[in-house]
Amino acid sequence: MVQPFVRPGTPNLADYRAARRDFTWSQARGWLDGLPGGRGLNLAYEAVDRHAAPLRDKAAIRFVRSDTEISELTYGELAEATSRFANLLAELGVGAGERVCTYLTPRPALYVAALGTMKRGAVYTPLFPAFGPEPVAQRLSLSRARVLVTTAQLYARRIAPLRDRLPELRHVLIADADTAPPGTVALDAALRSARGRYEIPATDPEQPALLHFTSGTTGRPKGAVHVHDAAVAHYASARFALDLRPDDVFWCTADPGWVTGTSYGILAPLMHGVTVVSVAADFEARRWYRILDRMRVTVWYTAPTAIRMLMRYGDELPGDYDLSRLRHAASVGEPLDAAAVRWSTATLRHPFHDTWWQTETGSIMISNFPAVDIRPGSMGLPMPGIEVALLARGPDGRARVTGGAVTPIVEPEVEGEIALRRGWPSMFRDYLDQPERYAGCFADDWYLTGDIARRDADGYYWFAGRADDVIKSAGHLIGPFEVESVLMDHPAVLEAGVIGRPDPVAGERVKAFVTLRPGERPTEPLRQELLAFARLRLGGIAPREIAFEPNLPHTRSGKVLRRLLRARDLGLDAGDLSTLESQP
């Protein structure tokens, strides 16, 4: 059956133009409590302790491990458990600024460790649980981690063989086990003996709170440092872009090992006092629909790749479930193509609202807002408080910097590098131990994102690609996402990835890899049809070559890994693959 459309009521951001005109970050700081006695601002206090009394018995996090295994932590229980963890860190001699890592699948211990670490004033560093031994050891070493929270199985398989390479790792806490391997501590027993009350010390808003590693195409992972003042942007962006309200049940499908899973799977929703749904299993279409139904999810934040996977299962499957409580859906992680927006509008009765941000920005910068018309395929409009510009580019595709100055593009429909005026609260403050790399991200008071977009006459932004993905053909700079979006408009195509192949005349020519929808066969007539379809829509920037690829490579956050497509196609070194979704 077709689900009835539920009117969402008046959004938190009802008048976008007025908010852009009147909003200030000082106003947003007033939405938070701050530590009692004016002792600063602490992320964990805003997410947990300020709710401990008024919301003591309300479910803070609901853990779904299977259809029959569901548990929860109330705000009161979460406050006590995180205080015990903070006291445990104190007993272990872990102080402000020292790094505490989690290497866990979603479970209570992860959330308790993350928030307890921030209560203590230490720096929380999540590690994705599917990382193999080398990526984990590299990040533990780079962060100089003092504490690691993991499971006995992960420790035995991936940490213990490499521990002699990690002399600064003093303590390994084993979650969800009665006994711990030699050289480690059983976390549950240690928490039971720790005190359940903890007074959060004075916390300067500029004190480091989070360290998120992000991989580039080459070189070592970058450790982006965020501070407690990020709470202001987390709260404001969840209020404006995700439309969170205290009575919501919120599901962010991103794993907490990634920045999205921390910022919008833990911190921002808890700051709003909502009930967070945490799921510990991989994607399966029927299971996801059951979770939306049985958990009574009202706001859903997921990735375009997951949306396209749901599309594979057809338009009828959602009708088997009650999705009537869902009032807002948003996407993150990679650009959302117009076909996915149209599908969700027709099938789920709610359009997915795309959002754009980066690990370095710490929170949503550009969004399709609930009260503003969606333009399918668009990134949306800038968040209140965020100043965005497109900068003229040089021959390398990056922003042209002359004498330290950049040139903002004024006219519409011209591609440029997205730049953000520095100064928003969740802006990263450093790349750990890489000051020159950090300084190179800024020019003329702008943060240079490395992403390419165009802006239409009404101020909507449209993603074109990463500067290092841009294809240089016959003097033109071609954004791969523009080509991919057109191919995905064809009814036979589910997903596409586009690269540039060397060409002796044009420099590069466009090659596309496409994944077909279920029931479609990879035939030569279909290939020719797709080439003609793209040529009609794109003209001279259309792909010259199309290959059928049933399984495009993705990062764990859902982005098509174009550099791996290019490396495979050309027989090149693929670089760092630690974030590849099929990594063991």
Side-chain angles (χ1 to χ4, degrees), residues 382-520:
M383 279 281 299
I386 300 299
E387 185 177 349
V388 183
L390 297 180
L391 304 181
R393 295 181 291 163
D396 64 350
R398 293 299 307 269
R400 185 172 59 244
V401 182
T402 305
V406 296
T407 305
I409 297 169
V410 177
E411 59 269 27
E413 304 298 348
V414 177
E415 289 186 358
E417 181 172 351
I418 302 173
L420 306 170
R421 180 80 71 181
R422 68 190 304 165
W424 69 96
S426 64
M427 186 187 84
F428 74 129
R429 300 302 199 265
D430 196 10
Y431 280 136
L432 186 68
D433 299 329
Q434 295 180 286
E436 292 183 2
R437 194 172 192 175
Y438 180 76
C441 294
F442 297 87
D444 201 13
D445 210 34
W446 294 94
Y447 164 59
L448 310 179
T449 68
D451 281 352
I452 307 304
R454 61 181 174 85
R455 181 179 56 243
D456 67 24
D458 296 317
Y460 284 76
Y461 286 80
W462 301 77
F463 188 84
R466 285 289 298 170
D468 49 16
D469 282 338
V470 167
I471 300 164
K472 305 171 184 70
S473 180
H476 299 290
L477 297 175
I478 302 169
F481 182 68
E482 183 177 8
V483 180
E484 291 163 358
S485 294
V486 165
L487 286 168
M488 286 187 286
D489 266 346
H490 190 281
V493 176
L494 180 70
E495 193 170 33
V498 167
I499 66 167
R501 279 187 59 85
D503 184 272
V505 177
E508 288 183 301
R509 68 178 186 273
V510 179
K511 179 175 181 178
F513 298 81
V514 299
T515 299
L516 299 178
R517 292 182 181 274
E520 298 288 347

Side-chain angles (χ1 to χ4, degrees), residues 154-228:
L154 286 173
Y155 178 75
R157 289 175 54 200
R158 299 178 184 176
I159 305 299
L162 303 175
R163 193 166 178 184
D164 59 349
R165 291 168 43 185
L166 303 167
E168 296 186 78
L169 181 60
R170 298 173 185 167
H171 309 285
V172 176
L173 308 179
I174 301 299
D176 303 330
D178 295 328
T179 59
T184 69
V185 174
L187 177 60
D188 291 352
L191 289 179
R192 283 194 295 270
S193 65
R195 291 181 64 246
R197 300 177 72 86
Y198 183 80
E199 183 177 354
I200 298 175
T203 308
D204 189 305
E206 288 299 311
Q207 183 175 320
L210 296 160
L211 175 64
H212 288 293
F213 282 102
T214 180
S215 295
T217 55
T218 59
R220 72 182 195 181
K222 302 170 288 185
V225 177
H226 293 275
V227 299
H228 283 272

